[in-house]
């Protein structure tokens, strides 16, 4: 009887964690007038819990499906060759390790917030439930929350690789088991990371900012092995023989790397029914028991010590009596927006990921180019010897436009809800001040554009370093980077201003809404479209004319059109959207 | 005694002074006790320690005879708490929140449904229970917090500024509910800044100022002390006197310390042999 009560309480707690982390369910019953796109926001009838859960997981699905499909295609493509070389298990394991790092990276912020920095803490502490019960309910919630992410990331890759290697039904079954223990590994890694994180955050004054910054750094560090893997598995790309040679030389590295993800390696080998895999699975179970115990013990210790007070400590600062000129309103608003954006949870991580993402695209092809030329020094020698003309390969030229577009899109994830993230209370407060909404929107637009262009500098510098002589290309690269930024930001504002979501509790919930992902999806489409346009034109026109002029022209015109469409739509409806916000 | 606080002290990390300094008080069954004091006096710290949000640095808290530090869960079962801030659960409906709280207090389905109907009717929330809390006004959020705190019919109600944001009807109904609750042998302990409400509603009043309890008496005793002053004027007078007392004590301590240091230096100077003596 007591156990049944405890179980019911635990289930109620886990359910409550889900309910409070899901987006609000809008009132669909009220018929909206055609021009009343703001919707009836005075009273929301609740959708059923099942519907809310469905929408919650649908949002997760759409967030990860793109990456999952990309990797699945790569898995399918490399399966046959890897099998022939006898490194299929190792190859698949390393790819899955990359996915594990990605899923851990995405789950890290949620883990930290739910486990140690939960805003529900005071409320839960009052209830007649032990800290143990609260802890276990959070643990269960995090596991169940991570499981779909693991499914989406791992299963397409696993099945596509199995299909590519023409494995049997039994292999598919064993591979299906892998995503079920991935969340546990992610929780283990997150717990280990939380040890230094919580310690540092407890010592500083700006806790929220420090926490987000450290999480961003750790997330970026987790991406490094993924980038390294992309270098070694991508290689030269174009020629099968070249790829096979590179992969053959990397076999040793891949075999060693597979042991880093021993549990995954064991199950992948078991899926191939390889000799010795049975013992490996047994060791894996022992490892899992150990990981689980360590995770639980450490998490409990950290949970007991965790402070939920994340408010910045108010420190009386001495104001400098400097005679500074009074800044214009726009400058003040821009400054405000910069600080606000960097403080939003998850933004610092998204910005770091956005900065690193284009390296995924560029590094593999640049690596092979450098290798072919015999080193970076030789590239410079060749460029100088050819009279300082553009000696970048046509593939790299085409890839760059794609990479810069992807960089813009990923950095702009941080800016997808510029008005919504202010909240109704924030907007009302700003409206009470002597500033107009137009000034506010303008300041936000400028800030977003500034960040979007600024954070693409690392990839541009990298490209310049690898391909030193660009001349006119450099100007067109800058122009197109700016055009894609403008297009992406215009889409963001068009979507958010047309239907802002201003009544939220946790800013993370507005990112979970499907609408918030529309700019990302369109942005990805814009980025993907760069490749089939830029790459063939680069290759063919350079072959014929020994010049990229046509490429520059075509891609620039294309990006101008892509920018003008959302921008003109936004300009046309701008006054209407602003008037609605003020209503 | 339904609630006993003995020599409770609390000092937040990094703060030079204690938030609550060695306070003691008790609440008997059937009492409505008002807890008043200026901002930053220590009211919320005390209340949060009683309900288990804050830890206890020193002292003891007993809830219905149970030592809070040893029988925490059992003690919490006997209390219902309404915080002064709105609950951060905009994505759940009122009904879901109340059901969740009821589950935590092991309230049976029949009991919770029946009580929810009654409480929702009393606070005029029947029509909005199935709407998301984010659509509620401030007053409605306060009401749902009150309903959630009372769903398990606790012996002791701990309410932190419960009347803030409530419309007159709901405020009246809550006050009536408090009376009835105490008539049934239970108790209410609530903090408020509205002194007129405290004066009319409470059996006893406890005044805290700068981490210390400076007044703990029944309303009748308070009226005798007030004389011709209103409660507000009396409150200001008492806290002002206490502040002056603390200032004076601080200066006295300082001058005592200075005197001691001066004496010490003098005695050192006397003891130290001169060069000629050497």
């Amino acid at each position: 009887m007591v156990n049944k009560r405890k179980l019911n309480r635990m289930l109620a707690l886990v359910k409550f964690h889900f309910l409070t982390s899901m987006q609000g369910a809008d009132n669909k019953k009220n018929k909206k007038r055609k021009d009343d796109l703001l919707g009836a926001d005075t009273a929301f009838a609740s959708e059923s819990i099942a519907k809310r859960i469905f929408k919650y997981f649908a949002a997760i699905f759409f967030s990860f499906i793109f990456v999952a499909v990309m990797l699945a295609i790569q898995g399918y493509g490399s399966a046959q060759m890897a099998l022939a070389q006898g490194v299929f298990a190792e190859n698949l394991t390393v790819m899955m390790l990359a996915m594990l790092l990605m899923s851990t990276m995405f789950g890290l912020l949620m883990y930290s917030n739910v486990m140690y920095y939960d805003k529900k803490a005071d409320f839960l502490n009052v209830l007649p439930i032990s800290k143990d019960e609260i802890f276990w309910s959070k643990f269960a919630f995090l596991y169940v929350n991570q499981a779909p992410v693991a499914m989406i990331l791992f299963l397409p890759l696993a099945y596509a690789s199995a299909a590519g290697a023409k494995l049997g039904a039994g292999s598919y079954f064993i591979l299906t088991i892998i995503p079920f223990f991935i969340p546990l590994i992610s929780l283990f890694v997150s717990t280990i990371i939380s040890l230094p994180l919580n310690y540092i955050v407890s010592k500083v004054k700006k806790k929220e900012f420090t926490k987000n910054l450290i999480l961003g750094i750790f997330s970026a560090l987790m991406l490094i092995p993924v980038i390294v893997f992309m270098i070694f598995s991508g290689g030269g790309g174009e020629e099968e023989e070249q790829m096979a040679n590179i992969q053959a030389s990397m076999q040793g590295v891949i075999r060693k790397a597979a042991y880093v993800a021993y549990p995954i390696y064991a199950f992948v080998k078991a899926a191939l029914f390889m000799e010795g895999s049975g013992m490996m699975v047994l060791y894996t179970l022992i490892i899992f028991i150990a990981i689980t115990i360590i995770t639980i013990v450490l998490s409990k210790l950290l949970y007991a010590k965790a402070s939920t007070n994340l408010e910045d400590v108010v420190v009386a600062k001495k104001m400098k009596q400097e005679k500074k000129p009074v800044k214009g309103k726009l400058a003040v608003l821009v400054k405000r927006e910069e600080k606000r954006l960097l403080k939003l949870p998850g933004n610092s991580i998204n910005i770091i990921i956005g900065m690193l993402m284009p390296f995924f695209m560029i590094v593999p092809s640049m690596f092979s180019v450098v290798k072919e030329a015999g080193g970076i020094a030789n590239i410079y020698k060749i460029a100088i010897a050819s009279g300082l003309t553009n000696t970048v390969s046509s593939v790299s030229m085409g890839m760059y436009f794609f990479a810069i577009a992807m960089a813009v899109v990923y950095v702009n994830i941080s800016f997808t809800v510029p008005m919504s993230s202010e909240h109704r209370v924030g907007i009302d407060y700003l409206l009470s001040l002597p500033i107009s909404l137009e000034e506010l929107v303008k300041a936000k637009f400028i800030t977003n554009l500034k960040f979007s262009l600024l954070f693409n500098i690392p990839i541009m510098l990298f490209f310049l370093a690898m391909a030193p002589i660009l001349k006119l290309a450099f100007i067109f690269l800058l122009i197109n980077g700016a055009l894609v930024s403008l297009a992406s930001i215009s889409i963001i504002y068009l979507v958010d201003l047309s239907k802002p979501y201003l009544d939220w509790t946790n800013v993370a919930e507005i990112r979970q809404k499907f609408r918030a992902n529309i700019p990302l999806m369109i942005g990805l489409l814009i980025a993907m479209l760069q490749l089939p346009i830029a790459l063939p034109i680069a290759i063919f026109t350079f072959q014929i004319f020994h010049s990229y002029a046509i490429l520059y022209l075509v891609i620039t015109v294309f990006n101008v059109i892509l920018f003008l469409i959302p921008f003109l739509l936004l300009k046309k409806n701008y006054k209407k959207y602003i008037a609605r916000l003020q209503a | 005694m339904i609630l006993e606080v003995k020599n409770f002290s609390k000092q937040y990390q990094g703060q030079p002074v204690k938030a609550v300094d060695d306070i003691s008080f008790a609440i008997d069954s059937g009492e409505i006790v008002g807890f008043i004091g200026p901002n930053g006096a220590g009211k919320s710290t005390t209340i949060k320690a009683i309900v288990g949000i804050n830890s206890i640095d020193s002292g003891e808290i007993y809830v219905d005879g149970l030592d809070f530090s040893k029988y925490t869960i059992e003690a919490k079962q006997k209390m219902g708490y309404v915080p002064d801030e709105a609950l951060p659960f905009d994505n759940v409906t009122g009904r879901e929140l109340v059901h969740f709280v009821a589950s935590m207090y092991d309230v049976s389905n029949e009991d919770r449904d029946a009580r929810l109907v009654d409480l929702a009717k009393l606070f005029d929330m029947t029509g909005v229970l199935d709407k998301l809390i984010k659509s509620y006004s401030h007053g409605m959020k306060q009401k749902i917090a009150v309903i959630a705190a009372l769903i398990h019919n606790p012996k002791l109600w701990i309410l932190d500024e419960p009347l803030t944001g409530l419309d007159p009807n709901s405020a009246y109904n809550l006050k009536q509910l408090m009376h009835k609750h105490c008539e049934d042998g239970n108790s209410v302990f609530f903090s408020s800044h509205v002194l007129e409400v405290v004066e009319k509603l409470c059996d006893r009043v406890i005044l805290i100022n700068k981490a210390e309890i400076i007044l703990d008496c029944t309303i009748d005793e308070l009226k005798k002390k007030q004389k011709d002053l209103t409660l507000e004027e009396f409150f200001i007078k008492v806290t002002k006197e206490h502040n002056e007392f603390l200032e004076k004590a601080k200066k006295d301590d300082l001058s005592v310390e200075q005197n001691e240091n001066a004496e010490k230096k003098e005695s050192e100077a006397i003891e130290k042999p001169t060069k000629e003596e050497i």
Side-chain angles (χ1 to χ4, degrees):
Chain A
M1 182 67 176
V2 172
N3 284 337
K4 197 184 173 190
R5 271 217 312 267
K6 273 192 168 175
L7 182 65
N8 285 340
R9 272 217 297 266
M10 184 59 63
L11 288 172
L13 270 165
V14 175
K15 180 182 164 186
F16 192 66
H17 289 313
F18 268 106
L19 284 176
T20 50
S21 63
M22 287 191 292
Q23 67 185 41
D26 290 353
N27 186 353
K28 299 278 185 225
K29 287 178 187 171
N30 285 351
K31 292 280 177 193
K32 296 183 182 111
R33 291 194 306 273
K34 209 174 176 187
D35 58 344
D36 182 18
L37 291 176
L38 276 177
D41 54 336
T42 52
F44 297 93
S46 162
E47 291 170 330
S48 66
I49 292 175
K51 203 169 180 182
R52 277 187 263 171
I53 291 172
F54 171 76
K55 283 166 92 171
Y56 177 72
F57 286 112
I60 291 175
F61 176 82
F62 282 111
S63 302
F64 291 104
I65 195 63
F66 172 71
V67 173
V69 166
M70 265 180 66
L71 225 72
I73 293 169
Q74 190 164 0
Y76 182 84
S78 62
Q80 275 292 325
M81 199 177 306
L83 198 65
Q85 290 173 348
V87 289
F88 174 80
E90 290 77 10
N91 193 52
L92 180 56
T93 302
V94 170
M95 290 175 86
M96 285 187 169
L97 174 61
M99 284 295 96
L100 170 64
L101 290 171
M102 279 193 78
S103 74
T104 306
M105 184 187 73
F106 283 112
L108 191 54
L109 182 64
M110 180 173 240
Y111 170 83
S112 188
N113 281 341
V114 167
M115 232 1 144
Y116 311 121
Y117 302 99
D118 190 1
K119 289 182 168 52
K120 296 196 300 289
D122 280 0
F123 173 76
L124 293 174
N125 282 341
V126 171
L127 301 172
I129 45 178
S130 61
K131 284 205 186 315
D132 264 0
E133 282 178 289
I134 299 173
F135 169 79
W136 284 113
S137 69
K138 288 184 180 194
F139 205 83
F141 162 69
L142 285 166
Y143 181 89
V144 173
N145 197 58
Q146 278 271 79
V149 176
M151 298 281 173
I152 293 164
L153 286 173
F154 282 77
L155 287 182
L157 168 63
Y159 291 162
S161 299
K166 294 180 176 50
L167 300 180
S171 302
Y172 284 87
F173 175 74
I174 295 172
L175 288 171
T176 307
I177 298 171
I178 295 175
F180 287 98
F181 56 76
I182 292 301
L184 216 48
I185 303 177
S186 294
L187 287 174
F188 172 69
V189 174
S190 299
T191 307
I192 300 296
I193 289 171
S194 296
L195 280 167
L197 170 70
N198 286 6
Y199 177 76
I200 294 167
V201 170
S202 70
K203 297 292 175 196
V204 299
K205 286 175 184 168
K206 289 191 176 179
K207 296 182 187 298
E208 183 78 44
F209 174 75
T210 309
K211 183 193 79 168
N212 289 336
L213 184 66
I214 294 173
L215 285 173
I217 292 168
F218 272 115
S219 301
L221 286 173
M222 274 191 269
L223 274 181
I224 291 171
V226 183
I227 294 171
V228 169
F229 166 75
M230 294 288 285
I231 293 170
F232 288 132
S233 66
E238 309 101 55
E239 294 172 19
E240 209 175 289
E241 197 186 313
Q242 195 176 11
M243 190 171 168
N245 286 340
I246 290 167
Q247 290 220 329
S249 69
M250 291 302 128
Q251 275 184 35
V253 174
I254 290 173
R255 279 186 211 279
K256 283 175 189 162
Y259 278 98
V260 172
Y262 189 89
I264 300 173
Y265 192 31
F267 274 90
V268 170
K269 279 193 119 171
L272 294 168
F273 300 101
M274 288 172 79
E275 205 180 312
S277 61
M279 281 306 290
M280 285 183 76
V281 169
L282 187 64
Y283 292 143
T284 296
L285 291 170
I286 296 168
I287 289 169
F288 263 110
I289 292 168
I291 285 175
T292 308
I293 292 170
I294 293 169
T295 307
I296 290 166
V297 167
L298 280 178
S299 296
K300 271 187 144 191
L301 273 171
L302 289 168
Y303 176 70
K305 279 187 174 295
S307 162
T308 56
N309 181 11
L310 288 170
E311 288 163 7
D312 289 347
V313 172
V314 175
V315 175
K317 289 180 185 171
K318 286 184 184 174
M319 300 300 292
K320 287 185 185 176
Q321 298 293 320
E322 285 173 18
K323 284 186 181 170
K324 280 182 185 169
V326 175
K327 281 184 183 171
K329 273 186 204 170
L330 190 64
V332 170
L333 287 170
V334 166
K335 196 81 190 168
R336 174 196 173 266
E337 185 65 12
E338 283 171 11
K339 283 186 182 171
R340 195 185 72 86
L341 280 176
L342 290 172
K343 271 190 168 184
L344 283 173
N347 265 9
S348 43
I349 297 173
N350 284 334
I351 287 168
I352 292 170
I353 293 169
M355 281 166 62
L356 291 174
M357 195 55 76
F359 288 90
F360 278 97
M361 323 292 164
I362 284 294
V363 163
S365 68
M366 293 307 294
F367 183 75
S368 65
V369 163
V370 168
K371 210 173 169 186
E372 248 181 76
I376 295 175
N378 271 353
I379 288 177
Y380 277 78
K381 281 183 194 164
I382 292 166
I384 293 165
S386 67
L388 298 178
T389 57
N390 189 353
T391 54
V392 174
S393 76
S394 45
V395 169
S396 297
M397 261 326 300
M399 282 294 286
Y400 185 79
F401 286 100
F402 168 59
I404 199 83
M406 286 296 280
V408 164
V409 169
Y410 270 94
V411 163
N412 285 351
I413 289 173
S414 307
F415 317 131
T416 50
V417 283
M419 287 313 283
S420 297
S421 57
E422 288 280 4
H423 198 280
R424 168 87 55 200
V425 172
I427 299 277
D428 287 350
Y429 173 72
L430 288 165
L431 284 176
S432 72
L433 301 174
I435 54 172
S436 64
L437 263 177
E438 284 86 349
E439 282 174 309
L440 181 67
V441 173
K442 197 173 169 185
K444 284 174 178 289
F445 198 96
I446 291 169
T447 312
N448 291 168
L449 189 63
K450 205 162 96 173
F451 278 176
S452 183
L453 294 172
L454 195 70
F455 292 124
N456 291 315
I457 287 174
I459 186 64
M460 288 189 71
L461 289 174
F462 174 79
F463 192 76
L464 281 171
M466 288 287 133
I469 312 299
L470 289 179
K471 286 188 169 179
L472 208 58
F474 182 62
I475 297 167
F476 278 94
L477 288 166
L478 274 177
I479 291 170
N480 281 280
L483 284 169
V484 173
S485 290
L486 281 164
S488 173
I489 291 168
S490 300
I491 294 165
I492 286 169
Y493 277 81
L494 187 64
V495 169
D496 197 40
L497 281 177
S498 62
K499 198 177 176 186
Y501 180 65
L502 298 169
D503 300 298
W504 45 265
T505 313
N506 187 333
V507 74
E509 78 187 62
I510 44 175
R511 291 214 175 100
Q512 288 172 12
K513 284 186 85 69
F514 177 74
R515 204 176 166 77
N517 289 312
I518 293 174
L520 170 65
M521 292 190 299
I522 299 176
L524 285 171
L525 186 64
I526 292 174
M528 299 293 277
L529 284 173
Q530 307 286 314
L531 204 53
I533 292 170
L535 202 53
I537 293 175
I539 294 169
F540 293 124
T541 59
F542 191 74
Q543 269 180 0
I544 300 166
F545 300 108
H546 300 288
S547 161
Y548 291 119
I550 295 173
L551 166 68
Y552 303 151
L553 187 67
V554 170
I555 200 77
T556 305
V557 167
F558 176 69
N559 284 326
V560 165
I561 294 169
L562 285 179
F563 153 59
L564 283 175
I565 294 171
F567 186 73
L568 290 172
L569 270 171
L570 179 65
K571 209 174 164 197
K572 187 185 163 197
N573 294 296
Y574 180 73
K575 285 201 164 106
K576 189 169 72 177
Y577 299 151
I578 294 293
R580 270 195 220 143
L581 273 172
Q582 281 176 314
Chain B
M1 293 287 170
I2 191 75
L3 177 68
E4 261 191 282
V5 176
K6 287 182 180 175
N7 306 110
F8 165 60
S9 296
K10 174 76 187 170
Q11 186 166 359
Y12 290 109
Q13 203 181 16
Q15 296 299 314
V17 293
K18 288 182 182 175
V20 175
D21 190 4
D22 194 30
I23 64 167
S24 299
F25 63 89
I27 297 174
D28 221 336
S29 301
E31 275 194 312
I32 301 179
V33 177
F35 195 36
I36 59 176
N39 292 336
K43 297 193 300 299
S44 286
T45 304
T46 306
I47 287 175
K48 285 181 175 176
I50 292 169
V51 298
I53 294 172
N54 285 345
S55 60
I56 302 167
D57 285 356
S58 65
E60 290 150 339
I61 294 176
Y62 294 87
V63 178
D64 203 18
L66 296 167
D67 185 347
F68 191 83
S69 53
K70 287 180 188 154
Y71 303 100
T72 311
I73 307 294
E74 292 82 356
K76 285 178 181 177
Q77 281 277 3
K78 294 180 186 282
M79 295 189 282
Y81 169 61
V82 178
D84 56 346
E85 295 144 0
L87 298 173
F89 304 128
D90 283 1
N91 286 332
V92 294
T93 64
R95 191 185 297 277
E96 283 164 359
L97 175 67
V98 174
H99 273 290
F100 167 70
V101 173
S103 299
M104 294 302 106
Y105 284 99
D106 297 327
V107 180
S108 68
N109 287 337
E110 296 80 19
D111 284 344
R112 71 175 78 167
D113 287 338
R115 280 185 208 149
L116 184 55
V117 164
D118 291 340
L119 287 167
K121 210 172 165 182
L122 191 70
F123 290 107
D124 195 27
M125 291 283 285
T126 312
V128 294
L129 278 180
D130 292 306
K131 291 188 184 341
L132 294 177
I133 290 176
K134 71 176 175 194
S135 69
Y136 291 0
S137 65
H138 177 79
M140 287 160 80
K141 286 182 185 178
Q142 186 73 354
K143 285 191 237 181
I144 201 68
V146 170
I147 293 172
L150 307 185
I151 197 67
H152 61 294
N153 199 20
K155 281 186 91 170
L156 174 63
W157 293 1
I158 312 264
L159 314 172
D160 203 344
E161 311 275 355
L163 302 171
T164 309
L166 291 188
D167 57 74
N169 273 344
S170 300
Y172 176 78
N173 287 335
L174 180 59
K175 286 181 242 174
Q176 293 301 105
L177 207 59
M178 284 190 206
H179 272 303
K180 188 174 178 315
H181 188 65
C182 292
E183 278 164 18
D184 293 341
N186 303 305
S187 304
V188 175
F189 178 59
F190 79 99
S191 76
S192 181
H193 280 127
V194 185
L195 298 177
E196 287 79 17
V197 168
V198 170
E199 199 175 14
K200 284 178 188 161
L201 193 59
C202 300
D203 301 311
R204 258 175 62 216
V205 69
I206 298 172
L207 171 58
I208 185 169
N209 184 52
K210 290 210 161 82
E212 295 174 8
I213 287 179
I214 56 174
L215 191 74
D216 182 355
C217 59
T218 63
I219 290 294
D220 290 334
E221 286 167 357
L222 180 67
K223 280 180 178 161
K224 284 179 191 163
K225 288 179 201 263
Q226 263 176 257
K227 292 175 188 168
D228 298 325
L229 300 171
T230 63
L231 181 59
E232 193 181 47
E233 286 162 348
F234 179 70
F235 172 87
I236 292 167
K237 177 175 173 276
V238 168
T239 50
K240 192 179 172 188
E241 281 171 5
H242 184 240
N243 290 341
E244 284 165 0
F245 169 75
L246 289 173
E247 274 298 314
K248 189 173 178 297
K250 203 174 164 184
K251 279 180 189 163
D252 288 346
D253 283 345
L254 204 62
S255 59
V256 163
E257 201 182 316
Q258 282 172 347
N259 284 342
E260 279 175 359
N261 284 341
E263 279 173 16
K264 197 177 172 187
K265 279 182 183 167
E266 218 181 283
S267 64
E268 276 174 9
I270 291 165
E271 280 168 17
K272 203 173 169 185
T274 59
K275 204 175 175 184
E276 289 76 19
E277 281 171 355
I278 293 165

